[in-house]
Amino acid sequence: MSSGSCIGISAMKPCCRILSSYKSPSLFGFSPTKFSDSMITGMLSRSGHHNSTRCHMYNTCNTQILGYIHEISANRRDFSVSDSNWGLYRSFSTSFGVNIGSFRPRIVSLVPHVASDIRNHSTSVDSHARDTSFEKIYIQNGLNVKPWVIDRIETDQSKLEEVYEDQSDVNVDNLKHLVENKVQREVSEIEKEAWKLLEDAVVTYCGNPVGTVAANDTADKQALNYDQVFIRDFVPSALAFLLNGEGEIVKNFLLHTLQLQSWEKTVDCYSPGQGLMPASFKVRAVPLDGGNETFEEVLDPDFGESAIGRVAPVDSGLWWIILLRAYGKLTGDYDLQDRVDVQTGIRLILKLCLTDGFDMFPSLLVTDGSCMIDRRMGIHGHPLEIQALFYSALRCSHEMLIVNDATKSLVAAVSNRLSALSFHMREYYWVDINKINEIYRYKTEEYSTDAVNKFNIYPEQIPSWLVDWISEEGGYFIGNLQPAHMDFRFFTLGNLWAIVSSLGTTKQNQGILNLIEAKWDDIIAQMPLKICYPALEGEEWRIITGCDPKNTPWSYHNGGSWPTLLWQFTLACIKMGRPDLAQKAVDSAEKRLSVDRWPEYYDTRNGRFIGKQSRLMQTWTIAGFLTSKMMLENPEKASLLFWEEDFELLQNCVCMLGKSGKRKCSRFAARSQFIV
């Protein structure tokens, strides 16, 4: 093939795909419409039939390309559908790191060449805001296309550069290696070690980085699911890369997980909501046609069907939205947010979260084990962690959603839910010494719209440890609230995100840090930070955890110390003008993490011992440490990741607190009537 012909095709097998046993997607509740050839000229072939029992769906390793790939001349700008400028792509040959004996399979990758005027391209919402047919074609066929195949690519790199040198609107720098974009800064030996470990944990798919494994301890013989890429676990890794000037891996991660969202997963003849994001995915190398000489890479997602307890990961979609905003803030690449598929992904997640149900309150109802605490720990109902992440995701969506006729009702629903949720959390979840004294004097069995004890909380629920533990200056958001039940445990992640997202008032946010400072030996101790305080013990542990041998008192989720929470603590401290607290915690962790080989968590009340089942070389421990260090050195970048109080949202709330603090909340504020 001549150097001027960049790409060729054949009818051979694909180089990479998404492996699944899902049904074909129907994003709007019906099967994809079949369009005539004239309507989908240049789109991928729809030949073949789905297997009724197990359907291996194929997809491309690049999420931006739609259309046949054909041989093009050097002066052709792209291989778009009907010359509609879908974007430029540079082609090259590469290999992926899967060794089968002495055979090292080779695959072909296509890397997006993003143009600076991407808003004019077909993947932008703006240029198709009034085109109702475009979104239907893109979503219904674009996410369920048959595979294309690249037989071989032979291109001289220097000549390919010449093809693009006259394209003034093309950002050639986007295709440079990650290392070239790194921020140059002096790092300590421990940081150098951490960066080396983080880079070793990177997972590639079709030659492109798409995430990091949960743990990368080569001495561990039983990987379980720690060799997978988890959405929540990847967030600190993503922030470390972004703060270091490396955006490609984060963009790839966002787009590939978005592809996985589109599939409908069935567990025991029942399918969860279509906007559900997977908890994790794994890149597997499987033989083609049962042979042992040719292999392909596949993405194999887990939507909770393999998780302990078979719980859907509610927080995955929330973390995905939060990371999408962070990517735009730290890279300046807001075009990614404006893509049709990305906008649709946001809307599908919001549809799951905002669907009307039997709830009387704006907080999100979930089952036990649906977030970072993914085992039975008595957090079913309306746990703080989910509410804080939900509020953060709503604020992100409020910023990123493009307002048009199709989305204006959804944007209004998001605004109303933000207002109602902030009021609900600030009024009913917050406790300090004065609030606890008020609860202590509650009257019960109040049947009235003017009731003070609206949730019928019995004063006897106040635990004995809390009376002496709560500080005079501080306070916190309790772990859960349901009728006749308040979980008074201090859950660190939820309280930190209440600060970061401004879910709490300024006074409440300050109170949380004041409490942490006052109770440093309990929450930070010898290794930051306790995931919750105090631990469940005795009969309480047996009843609530079901005698979970992993969640024994002061271990794992039951009062264990998790170094990955360090970056969230750092971000909260920077926001509240207390970087000294964060620096103190980072210094404490830095003394031990490298020596202890970067454990997942620590045990005992003071965090002295490495967790009895803790994985070593835990990636989000490594990334959390690096992210904390970089945020402390670059607080101006950290400021892009948190939110200040939005007074406009508060003004829209019909139930703002009056001086008495007892004004009634309108039921209409939390309604979520919208269409997707």
Side-chain angles (χ1 to χ4, degrees), residues 44-64:
L44 300 179
S45 172
R46 297 175 60 93
S47 60
H49 300 280
H50 301 300
N51 187 295
S52 60
T53 58
R54 182 169 179 82
C55 177
H56 287 185
M57 302 303 300
Y58 291 73
N59 212 322
T60 63
C61 56
N62 190 292
T63 58
Q64 289 190 346

Side-chain angles (χ1 to χ4, degrees), residues 408-460:
K408 61 182 180 182
S409 59
L410 175 60
V411 173
V414 169
S415 297
N416 289 337
R417 194 61 168 264
L418 281 168
S419 301
L421 184 58
S422 62
F423 169 82
H424 182 79
M425 300 299 294
R426 294 174 179 185
E427 176 70 357
Y428 303 121
Y429 274 66
W430 178 258
V431 294
D432 53 21
I433 189 65
N434 296 325
K435 183 67 176 182
I436 294 172
N437 200 151
E438 179 184 334
I439 297 172
Y440 181 74
R441 293 170 52 82
Y442 266 170
K443 295 180 180 180
T444 59
E445 317 302 332
E446 293 181 288
Y447 185 79
S448 170
T449 56
D450 296 323
V452 175
N453 186 3
K454 295 182 180 179
F455 293 88
N456 198 34
I457 303 299
Y458 298 104
E460 290 75 15

Side-chain angles (χ1 to χ4, degrees), residues 259-377:
Q259 279 189 317
L260 298 175
Q261 179 206 36
S262 67
W263 301 108
E264 183 180 341
K265 185 64 180 175
T266 301
V267 179
D268 293 338
C269 303
Y270 181 77
S271 299
Q274 196 164 23
L276 181 67
M277 282 288 188
S280 62
F281 65 86
K282 185 173 182 176
V283 180
R284 302 183 186 274
V286 298
L288 281 172
D289 297 330
N292 57 2
E293 294 184 355
T294 307
F295 290 77
E296 63 179 342
E297 287 187 323
V298 297
L299 285 181
D300 187 6
D302 176 15
F303 287 84
E305 72 276 9
S306 300
I308 298 173
R310 303 300 187 265
V311 179
V314 177
D315 64 336
S316 288
L318 306 178
W319 279 120
W320 186 88
I321 291 177
I322 292 169
L323 181 58
L324 176 64
R325 173 187 180 269
Y327 171 82
K329 289 286 187 178
L330 292 174
T331 65
D333 178 15
Y334 295 102
D335 296 325
L336 181 66
Q337 301 173 5
D338 294 345
R339 286 176 44 146
V340 170
D341 54 345
V342 174
Q343 287 282 311
T344 302
I346 298 173
R347 290 160 61 185
L348 287 174
I349 295 172
L350 293 177
K351 179 182 178 181
L352 274 182
C353 296
L354 298 177
T355 299
D356 289 327
F358 292 101
D359 275 327
M360 294 291 292
F361 312 109
S363 47
L364 204 58
L365 178 64
V366 300
T367 187
D368 220 338
S370 57
C371 52
M372 178 182 175
I373 299 178
D374 57 2
R375 300 169 73 92
R376 181 176 165 186
M377 270 291 292

